[in-house]
Amino acid sequence: MEENSEIQKSPSEVDYTSALTIDILQKILLCLSSADQFYASLVSSSWKSAYDSLTILDVDPASFKERINRSNKVFSRDLFQNFVEEIIQRKCANLLTLKISMWYYSCDDSWMNRFMGLLPKNSLEVLKLNLDSFEEYELPDDILELSCLKILKLKLCKFIFDKSSLGDRIQFINLKVLKLVFVNIDDFTLYEIIRRCPMITNLELITCNGLQNLQIWSLPNQFKSVKVETRSELFKSIEIKSYTLQSFYYSGPVVIAPVLTCNNLVDLILKSWTVVTVDENKFESVISKFPLLNTLVLDFRNGMPKLRITNPNLKMLKIRQDCGLREAHIHAPSLEELNISLSLDDKDHLKSLIFIDAANLQKFKLKLKQSRFLNKDDCEKFYTSWFIELREFLQQFVHKVILTMRFDALQPMWNPDDTSICGLPPTAIEHLNVDIVWNFCGNYGEFLDGLFWSCHPNSFSVEIMSDLAPVFFLQTLSEIIETEDDPTLSCCKSSLIKCWRHYLKSYQLRHSHDGKIINCKDYLRFAIQYDPNKSADTEFQFWGVMFDFSFLWDQ
């Protein structure tokens, strides 16, 4: 009671945080920067004990500079270096995880060598060294002796060691994750390091200079993932022999056919941003070697005109829009998600362009784009037969399709009298997106008739990259939808198959930028009367405006 009364008499003098457990104090410290952690440890013995027993340290000169500025002091290299050395020495016994970021003006090579010598060789488990410097920092041999390391991530460093004794110096017996970003390392050094990491599971090599051939053999049973990104055209080959590898990612200027002896591979991602040519037969042969493949992502620029994939376990397939793909045959009975882009012109037929054998398909993103740029005088004609092809093709994927069509220039040639040859009903799809990048020749009404005769989307978005074209498009659509007359009296009177107007029950229009519901008539009234030369609203424009519609159909 006396104790309580004493507390009530002078609450401002009581350190309530001292009553908190060490675990709670450490959780609070982990929410602070390294500089604020250090100054918090000066508050009381409880905070000091919590800080000294903290096993994680994240050193960032930006946070230290901010703290110095709050103290009305001037940030300097010496001040920062002394601070880092002090906390490393103070926490050396308990430190397990160290992440340190360095600016090019906050340290030099000699100080970095001294800092690396302070690291606890027999306890440090995680080291993340991120250097922002004009020159790569040459790592000292001491780093090879951190035998307790489990995770090593380095940026802007270089490995230059005596190759004759390199194998004997490497002691990464517990290393599981190795990530090198902008690190200068040669083929031999990397091979020796990986070969002497019996516990390694993940390897990431991001823009590593000096690498030309990546060879990984005799790996442990835990090895799971490899990621390689390179900007060098000198990078020649990848050869990996691992029966436990599950994920492989490659991105570079040249498409490399990796030699992967990996029967258990689950995820395969291949990317190239240069114009290349991919042999479809060779590629099919490579893919067939991975019977357990679950995810396949292909990102080749204009280098894959044809694609043929047969895999019983494939569940996700994504193909970049710039691959130049013109024909695809996919036999994947377990496929659940397909994202594919096809080059398109009026001579192509969808049924011959793409064949999909995927009974379990749940999500299908299809992008159709013109294979060449067309100017206003060379608009490509899309006849009624093309819309019939689209309708018949979509019948396979009811409610599963997100369809995007991108046209540089087009001229719809829609004739409803020609649709009598098609007895199939329109297909309900999830979303329809139309991008008209440059020129539209013809009547918007004909284009809409062809689109909505082919499919009934739950949502519809359109973007026309032209001055007032979006307004005219919206005006045409609203006039069709909001006609005051009963459509059964004015259209389809003699036709057995009714047009899309008879199926549409209601719609809602939203502006894509802010998602607000738009009153179509009010918007059009303003847009048609809008004069940019007289209006004070200089930010208002119609070029590139996108509208989103929600449709409710009577199926």
Side-chain angles (χ1 to χ4, degrees), residues 113 116-117 121 137-146 158-163 165-166 168-172:
N113 290 336
M116 296 295 290
K121 296 181 181 180
Y137 167 60
E138 184 176 337
L139 292 164
D141 292 356
D142 293 347
I143 195 172
L144 301 175
E145 300 174 4
L146 298 174
K158 53 185 174 183
F159 285 87
I160 301 179
F161 304 126
D162 182 6
K163 292 183 172 55
S165 60
L166 179 61
D168 297 331
R169 296 293 306 276
I170 300 172
Q171 299 180 25
F172 294 148

Side-chain angles (χ1 to χ4, degrees), residues 63-76:
S63 62
F64 179 77
K65 183 178 182 180
E66 181 183 350
R67 177 73 195 197
I68 290 298
N69 292 338
R70 292 204 306 265
S71 304
N72 296 321
K73 297 180 181 179
V74 179
F75 176 84
S76 68

Side-chain angles (χ1 to χ4, degrees), residues 84-93 118:
V84 174
E85 290 184 24
E86 181 178 351
I87 60 175
I88 292 294
Q89 291 173 348
R90 179 175 168 178
K91 299 179 62 62
C92 186
L118 296 174

Side-chain angles (χ1 to χ4, degrees), residues 46-64:
S46 298
W47 284 102
K48 181 179 182 300
S49 298
Y51 177 74
D52 288 342
S53 59
L54 199 66
T55 61
I56 301 174
L57 180 61
D58 187 347
V59 179
D60 182 2
S63 62
F64 179 77

Side-chain angles (χ1 to χ4, degrees), residues 104-317:
Y104 66 91
Y105 55 80
S106 62
C107 64
D108 53 26
D109 286 359
S110 61
W111 182 85
M112 279 299 304
N113 290 336
R114 189 166 70 252
F115 162 77
M116 296 295 290
L118 296 174
L119 298 181
K121 296 181 181 180
N122 298 322
S123 61
L124 191 65
E125 295 182 354
V126 179
L127 175 60
K128 300 178 182 179
L129 186 59
N130 183 0
L131 300 181
D132 181 9
S133 59
F134 292 135
E135 297 182 359
E136 298 163 331
Y137 167 60
E138 184 176 337
L139 292 164
D141 292 356
D142 293 347
I143 195 172
L144 301 175
E145 300 174 4
L146 298 174
S147 58
C148 292
L149 271 185
K150 295 181 180 179
I151 298 176
L152 178 59
K153 297 184 178 182
L154 302 173
K155 181 178 180 181
L156 281 171
C157 304
K158 53 185 174 183
F159 285 87
I160 301 179
F161 304 126
D162 182 6
K163 292 183 172 55
S164 61
S165 60
L166 179 61
D168 297 331
R169 296 293 306 276
I170 300 172
Q171 299 180 25
F172 294 148
I173 56 175
N174 292 297
L175 192 65
K176 294 183 177 181
V177 177
L178 177 61
K179 181 176 181 179
L180 306 179
V181 181
F182 295 110
V183 170
N184 195 325
I185 186 170
D186 58 55
D187 299 343
F188 177 80
T189 301
L190 180 62
Y191 174 75
E192 284 295 313
I193 290 176
I194 296 175
R195 191 168 70 93
R196 297 177 185 275
C197 296
M199 303 296 291
I200 192 167
T201 61
N202 299 80
L203 174 65
E204 287 190 48
L205 305 172
I206 313 298
T207 318
C208 289
N209 298 324
L211 280 182
Q212 295 186 4
N213 301 282
L214 176 62
Q215 294 181 336
I216 304 176
W217 302 335
S218 305
L219 288 167
N221 294 331
Q222 298 88 350
F223 197 61
K224 302 296 183 184
S225 173
V226 173
K227 181 176 181 179
V228 180
E229 291 186 10
T230 179
R231 298 178 182 177
S232 173
E233 296 186 359
L234 300 177
F235 197 83
K236 299 176 182 178
S237 66
I238 298 176
E239 185 174 358
I240 301 176
K241 295 181 180 180
S242 171
Y243 293 101
T244 60
L245 187 68
Q246 295 182 359
S247 176
F248 179 79
Y249 175 106
Y250 169 80
S251 175
V254 179
V255 175
I256 291 178
V259 179
L260 304 177
T261 308
C262 312
N263 294 340
N264 293 310
L265 195 68
V266 175
D267 300 326
L268 177 60
I269 301 174
L270 300 174
K271 296 184 178 183
S272 174
W273 59 85
T274 58
V275 179
V276 297
T277 301
V278 180
D279 188 308
E280 60 175 302
N281 295 322
K282 184 181 295 186
F283 183 79
E284 183 181 5
S285 175
V286 171
I287 299 299
S288 65
K289 296 178 180 179
F290 313 123
L292 301 181
L293 196 64
N294 185 292
T295 301
L296 176 61
V297 178
L298 304 176
D299 192 348
F300 304 149
R301 180 157 297 178
N302 295 325
M304 182 175 285
K306 293 183 180 181
L307 174 67
R308 184 180 298 274
I309 293 178
T310 302
N311 191 293
N313 295 303
L314 191 65
K315 291 185 178 180
M316 180 186 294
L317 174 61

